[in-house]
Amino acid sequence: MYNTCLEHVELAMEIIIDEKETPIINQLTEDEQLSTTCAFCKNNAIYSISE
């Protein structure tokens, strides 16, 4: 699972597609967005991308 900012959604999806072929995208709640950072940078995460 990857928590990502808007800029890195495509990167996380590509990684998941290479591994499992079917990414699941969920938008984080406002509370989760405030306390979660992107897996690829230090921005707040907006989405959770998982297999």
Side-chain angles (χ1 to χ4, degrees):
M1 178 177 81
Y2 297 96
N3 293 315
T4 67
C5 64
L6 185 59
E7 182 180 341
H8 292 109
V9 168
E10 287 185 34
L11 176 59
M13 287 178 53
E14 288 176 11
I15 292 169
I16 297 290
I17 289 169
D18 286 344
E19 294 173 0
K20 297 287 183 180
E21 297 184 17
T22 309
I24 298 169
I25 304 168
N26 293 307
Q27 187 168 1
L28 299 175
T29 65
E30 288 184 28
D31 289 338
E32 290 172 325
Q33 289 178 17
L34 294 175
S35 63
T36 308
T37 57
C38 177
F40 303 99
C41 69
K42 295 183 181 183
N43 293 332
N44 287 346
I46 298 173
Y47 298 103
S48 173
I49 314 290
S50 60
E51 320 171 344

